[in-house]
Amino acid sequence: MILVGCLFLLIGCNNESTSNDEIDKKVDELLSRMTLEEKVGQMNQYNGFFDATGPVPAGGDAKHKYEHIKKGWVGSMLNVRGAQEVRKMQSLAVDSSRLGIPMIFGFDVIHGHKTLSPIPLAEAASWDLEAIEKSARIAAIEASAEGINWTFAPMVDISRDARWGRVMEGAGEDTYLGSRIGVARINGFQGDDLSAHNTIAACAKHFAGYGFAEAGMDYNTVDVGTVTLHNVIFPPFKAAIEEADVKTFMNSFNVINGIPATANKFLQRDILKDEWAFNGFVISDWSSGLEMVAHGYAKDLEHVAELATNGGSDMDMESYANIKHLVDLVEAGKVKEATIDDAVRRILRVKFELGLFDDPYKYCDEEREKKLIYHPDHMEAALDMAKKSMVLLKNENNLLPLTKDQKKIAVIGTLADDKDSPLGNWRMAGENNTAISVLEGLKAYGIDYKYAEGAELVTGPTAFSVELEVNTTDKSGFKEAISLAKQSEVVVMVLGEHGLHSGEGRGRANLGLPGLQQELLEAVYQVNKNIVLVLMNGRPLTITWADEHVPAIVEAWQLGTQTGHAIAQVLFGEYNPSGKLPMTFPRHVGQVPIYYNQYSSGRPGPKTEVFWPHYIDESEKPLYPFGYGLSYTQFHYSDLEVEVVGKQQIEVTVNVINIGSVTGEEVVQLYLHDKVASVVRPIKELKGFEKISLEPSQSRKVTFTLTEKELGFYNGEGQFVVEPGEFGLMVGTSSVKGLSSQFKIN
Ligand code: BGC
């Protein structure tokens, strides 16, 4: 206790006014007093091991972890939360260890914390950076009130493969959009002042390539060329550092181009720490160190510690490699003590920046916890975000919005009555069954409807780590659903995926509606064609039949706590949908990976005989392209003007007018095509967007400024170049519809 007091005197200060240099001095001073064991301890993270308010663990793993914390051999814990629990656990480190260095508490705060916002892919569909930042801000406020000071978010992995279960956790397929959204999320989590009690350190993950798992199967090998790596995969990570000062990175489970990411020197040392000058720290993914043995890269756990640490991974999550072997490895000369010092410096720096040395218990205020969790303002923001995340995919004959006086509304589909699925996966602190269901939302909105389940979606237990059992046989509810549909004027069908159909370890080889839902949809359609399909899902689905037959389709993803209220407001026109797809919807799973920013083949046309890029049994076109989404109003684009105002500066203006009869929001999108370059460039790439709101007949001039950042690209050597020549440009409402022009730079 006395020692701890001394430590705080030595390093105590008002963190807000602490400059980087001052922090560096404090880090060095502390480091100079640490033993090798204590240094290695900082590089060790353990999973929560017991109810921290409970008794001292009697034996086993928990006992070891407990003892290790008291010795100062644990730098961080994950999955411990609650003001009281964290305080108790923190006090073991602060009061019992020799130097009293506080631990940093990490947690997956992915889309909201207790109040859940839409899944990240859904939020990305809003293209509303302000709302997304606010959503992350609120998540940080709730998480920090529960003792957490570090989130393992945002996931900035770009993915072009809807089979991959974790697309729900990212911002979709596009690098530019993904970068902007990643930056917004980090700004939301970290705020303006990281030392405040309600901001938390963010983590850009998973570095790198995790979203390119072969065949969309989680944990699978990744093999990507330099051009894709630099132009598609890296930019959101680079932006996280340069534009948002992200404090931590997480490496990834996958092998990339033959080397596991966890020990990848090229990624973690050459690119991240040298070229990008990242001065935060890198955490491994859960046991990704140990997994290098199965990959056939490390012989044993000792080898893991050597390879991962030398490869640039600073903290080990639950592999026990560092704590068991690093001291010996340093003594044997296989890892330099300078390498350890560098890792520990990085970790301590973040702890100082958080202000943990000033007050290790600053996130452990039970009053704040009580006051802030599920705060009404958070609920309101979650509702706003949910409305903004929906995408109107089809609306034949303006079937939507429905009117409140509409007679005989049927609601069919078990997901309509589900209070859990709308919460989506990765809602770690979220409480099961706490979403407003669609039925509850409609009822609260004063809608008179009749409901029939149709068919169950999953049978058996559902949990984060349990395989789902999907109902493929029990159609006993069909009869009631069909008879209800027959007697109704309009049928709202809520179909899609269970909340745990996507997420980690949730790859799908089929992208259709799971279970009996497609059959149910077709059976209902036989008796009533007036269907509004509300989709609830965590990834793009191949709803090709529905697109051909069903008149109205709303992509509602998994919208979090406020799902039902948001859906009711969109279906009945109180909110005019404004979302745009952040990921291409394929017509058939065989088209995957399908994405808008492809390269041109050598045979873009004419379509002669069979010798052009196509399938003989399916269209080569997507079902819904990237950037696509309708509104209850229409927008007209005109007067596209392009002016070269400087050597590498282009001004683009376009006029957008609302020609419909209701107010609406539009995402004006700008795409570029570098026509001839030393490395072939995609046929189009998003390079700017702006979300605007227009009343009926109102118009607005939207201006974009393009600079070398937008005009350049990374060549095969990973160098950023801007090459003179002609560019094609398109400004419009999606990646396939807009006004085109061109310009030249010298
Ligand atoms: C995931 C990470 C996550 C970690 C801790 C891993 O399985 O890949 O994204 O942050 O677990 O929960």
Side-chain angles (χ1 to χ4, degrees):
M1 201 54 197
I2 294 166
L3 268 171
V4 174
C6 296
L7 178 73
F8 287 142
L9 272 183
L10 273 169
I11 54 184
C13 67
N14 176 359
N15 216 69
E16 279 159 47
S17 59
T18 311
S19 73
N20 285 343
D21 286 354
E22 279 174 72
I23 287 185
D24 284 345
K25 263 194 222 144
K26 286 175 186 176
V27 168
D28 283 342
E29 190 283 327
L30 180 54
L31 194 71
S32 72
R33 294 188 294 122
M34 291 170 79
T35 63
L36 181 57
E37 281 82 0
E38 284 163 344
K39 290 178 190 174
V40 166
Q42 289 302 307
M43 298 168 69
N44 179 34
Q45 184 191 56
Y46 283 146
N47 190 33
F49 53 89
F50 71 114
D51 170 9
T53 50
V56 173
D61 212 28
K63 170 101 174 141
H64 277 125
K65 289 180 177 179
Y66 179 87
E67 294 302 338
H68 285 186
I69 296 177
K70 293 193 0 175
K71 284 184 180 157
W73 289 359
V74 185
S76 171
M77 295 296 299
L78 82 150
N79 292 333
V80 179
R81 68 182 170 87
Q84 213 191 6
E85 283 77 3
V86 173
R87 175 180 289 275
K88 181 86 188 289
M89 192 78 83
Q90 185 72 297
S91 77
L92 292 179
V94 170
D95 296 339
S96 307
S97 70
R98 189 179 74 91
L99 291 171
I101 299 174
M103 296 189 290
I104 176 170
F105 287 82
F107 197 76
D108 291 286
V109 183
I110 307 296
H111 53 109
H113 186 61
K114 300 290 281 191
T115 305
L116 291 164
S117 46
I119 57 167
L121 185 66
E123 288 196 354
S126 74
W127 297 53
D128 189 326
L129 299 177
E130 221 174 285
I132 292 172
E133 179 173 334
K134 188 167 172 193
S135 165
R137 183 86 283 280
I138 288 170
I141 290 172
E142 289 199 0
S144 61
E146 273 211 319
I148 292 154
N149 40 42
W150 176 24
T151 174
F152 305 127
M155 185 186 98
V156 294
D157 296 310
I158 298 300
S159 182
R160 296 162 162 179
D161 197 327
R163 293 170 299 183
W164 189 51
R166 294 191 82 166
V167 295
M168 56 81 50
E169 210 184 327
E173 76 188 35
D174 184 64
T175 296
Y176 182 86
L177 180 63
S179 302
R180 303 278 68 74
I181 290 176
V183 165
R185 289 196 166 126
I186 296 162
N187 285 339
F189 290 131
Q190 297 192 163
D192 298 332
D193 174 10
L194 194 62
S195 71
H197 64 184
N198 61 4
T199 54
I200 60 180
C203 179
K205 73 184 186 186
H206 307 83
F207 196 59
Y210 186 40
F212 276 68
E214 276 180 2
M217 195 167 66
D218 213 359
Y219 318 120
N220 216 2
T221 303
V222 174
D223 212 323
V224 282
T226 330
V227 172
T228 302
L229 203 53
H230 284 277
N231 288 287
V232 181
I233 294 174
F234 283 168
F237 288 102
K238 191 162 186 259
I241 302 168
E242 286 177 358
E243 295 175 45
D245 194 20
V246 72
K247 293 298 162 190
T248 71
F249 260 53
M250 185 184 289
N251 54 41
S252 53
F253 292 126
N254 54 284
V255 166
I256 176 163
N257 301 342
I259 315 283
T262 304
N264 202 305
K265 272 193 187 151
F266 165 70
L267 290 177
Q268 301 178 131
R269 294 220 178 270
D270 302 352
I271 297 291
L272 179 62
K273 291 176 178 173
D274 292 347
E275 202 174 314
W276 298 348
F278 175 62
N279 71 1
F281 70 89
V282 181
I283 172 95
S284 80
D285 201 348
W286 178 284
S287 200
S288 64
L290 180 61
E291 291 182 11
M292 296 198 295
V293 176
H295 285 309
Y297 191 71
K299 325 194 256 289
D300 52 25
L301 199 62
E302 181 177 344
H303 201 196
V304 164
E306 179 188 337
L307 292 169
T309 305
N310 287 336
S313 185
D314 301 308
M315 189 186 273
D316 171 54
M317 184 193 288
E318 273 286 316
S319 274
Y320 303 80
N322 290 355
I323 196 67
K324 285 191 178 155
H325 299 291
L326 267 185
V327 170
D328 290 346
L329 284 164
V330 172
E331 276 157 12
K334 290 188 177 163
V335 175
K336 293 199 180 91
E337 186 152 1
T339 306
I340 305 286
D341 285 352
D342 175 64
V344 177
R345 261 198 198 95
R346 290 167 180 275
I347 295 163
L348 293 177
R349 194 179 297 129
V350 175
K351 292 186 178 183
F352 273 105
E353 285 177 337
L354 281 165
L356 280 170
F357 286 95
D358 298 322
D359 179 3
Y361 306 108
K362 61 196 287 189
Y363 307 92
C364 304
D365 175 346
E366 284 169 67
E367 282 309 305
R368 251 185 89 222
E369 184 176 33
K370 259 190 239 131
K371 204 171 94 193
L372 292 173
I373 300 294
Y374 298 129
H375 192 282
D377 292 352
H378 302 177
M379 291 291 189
E380 203 186 307
L383 175 59
D384 182 59
M385 189 74 250
K387 290 189 281 191
K388 289 177 168 156
S389 301
M390 273 177 265
V391 186
L392 181 63
L393 296 176
K394 189 175 173 193
N395 195 17
E396 212 168 77
N397 302 325
N398 294 327
L399 177 55
L400 286 173
L402 302 172
T403 55
K404 266 194 156 175
D405 53 12
Q406 195 117 24
K407 302 276 172 326
K408 295 194 186 159
I409 300 178
V411 182
I412 294 174
T414 188
L415 285 172
D417 195 22
D418 191 337
K419 290 175 66 60
D420 204 48
S421 278
L423 300 176
N425 207 333
W426 284 117
R427 25 81 175 233
M428 306 308 273
E431 288 168 85
N432 294 344
N433 295 303
T434 49
I436 303 292
S437 72
V438 176
L439 292 185
E440 287 171 334
L442 290 172
K443 192 161 172 218
Y445 202 66
I447 307 301
D448 192 14
Y449 63 82
K450 290 210 168 72
Y451 169 69
E453 182 186 47
E456 265 188 318
L457 178 53
V458 297
T459 53
T462 55
F464 182 66
S465 53
V466 174
E467 207 78 69
L468 290 180
E469 286 164 40
V470 176
N471 170 26
T472 54
T473 50
D474 180 6
K475 300 182 199 168
S476 55
F478 269 42
K479 208 165 148 209
E480 190 197 340
I482 292 165
S483 130
L484 174 63
K486 243 187 218 164
Q487 303 153 29
S488 306
E489 275 180 22
V490 60
V491 186
V492 175
M493 291 196 76
V494 185
L495 306 176
E497 296 185 315
H498 183 270
L500 295 172
H501 256 120
S502 55
E504 185 174 344
R506 308 284 183 171
R508 289 186 64 201
N510 298 292
L511 291 176
L513 296 167
L516 297 168
Q517 296 180 101
Q518 180 64 32
E519 205 176 322
L520 177 68
L521 173 62
E522 292 183 28
V524 168
Y525 183 81
Q526 288 302 316
V527 300
N528 191 335
K529 299 193 168 22
N530 221 21
I531 295 176
V532 174
L533 173 60
V534 176
L535 289 170
M536 210 182 258
N537 46 306
R539 54 155 65 79
L541 296 176
T542 50
I543 47 149
T544 312
W545 185 92
D547 178 66
E548 277 161 21
H549 297 86
V550 172
I553 307 176
V554 177
E555 175 52 80
W557 317 104
Q558 288 140 351
L559 296 173
T561 306
Q562 296 286 330
T563 291
H565 293 320
I567 291 177
Q569 291 190 28
V570 162
L571 293 184
F572 289 87
E574 186 170 327
Y575 181 80
N576 183 358
S578 63
K580 303 274 187 178
L581 293 179
M583 238 184 134
T584 305
F585 272 45
R587 306 174 61 83
H588 188 282
V589 68
Q591 297 175 306
V592 173
I594 183 169
Y595 50 96
Y596 84 96
N597 49 347
Q598 291 174 334
Y599 299 109
S600 175
S601 77
R603 299 179 179 199
K607 298 172 180 172
T608 44
E609 300 169 292
V610 296
F611 306 109
W612 58 283
H614 71 298
Y615 299 105
I616 58 173
D617 53 1
E618 180 55 88
S619 162
E620 73 285 0
K621 298 227 158 65
L623 182 61
Y624 304 116
F626 174 83
Y628 169 82
L630 304 172
S631 161
Y632 293 153
T633 189
Q634 291 88 43
F635 300 97
H636 178 73
Y637 285 68
S638 67
D639 306 310
L640 175 64
E641 280 169 26
V642 183
E643 200 188 339
V644 181
V645 292
K647 187 162 182 281
Q648 281 159 2
Q649 191 171 338
I650 319 293
E651 284 240 329
V652 180
T653 54
V654 71
N655 198 53
V656 187
I657 179 165
N658 179 349
I659 54 169
S661 53
V662 287
T663 300
E665 289 158 278
E666 167 72 333
V667 181
V668 183
Q669 304 162 39
L670 180 147
Y671 295 86
L672 277 189
H673 175 208
D674 186 345
K675 291 189 176 170
V676 179
S678 59
V679 168
V680 291
R681 305 298 303 131
I683 47 173
K684 59 185 74 157
E685 281 187 301
L686 183 74
K687 290 293 177 184
F689 65 89
E690 193 175 334
K691 191 164 188 172
I692 57 170
S693 174
L694 294 174
E695 287 168 18
S697 303
Q698 195 188 355
S699 70
R700 195 158 138 207
K701 207 175 210 185
V702 178
T703 305
F704 297 96
T705 303
L706 305 173
T707 62
E708 58 170 34
K709 224 176 160 187
E710 289 76 30
L711 299 167
F713 61 89
Y714 290 89
N715 65 18
E717 282 75 55
Q719 294 150 340
F720 190 76
V721 291
V722 186
E723 294 180 349
E726 267 185 37
F727 284 75
L729 171 137
M730 188 188 84
V731 181
T733 188
S734 78
S735 63
V736 298
K737 196 169 164 207
L739 301 175
S740 299
S741 184
Q742 46 192 23
F743 62 88
K744 212 172 165 177
I745 58 165
N746 298 313

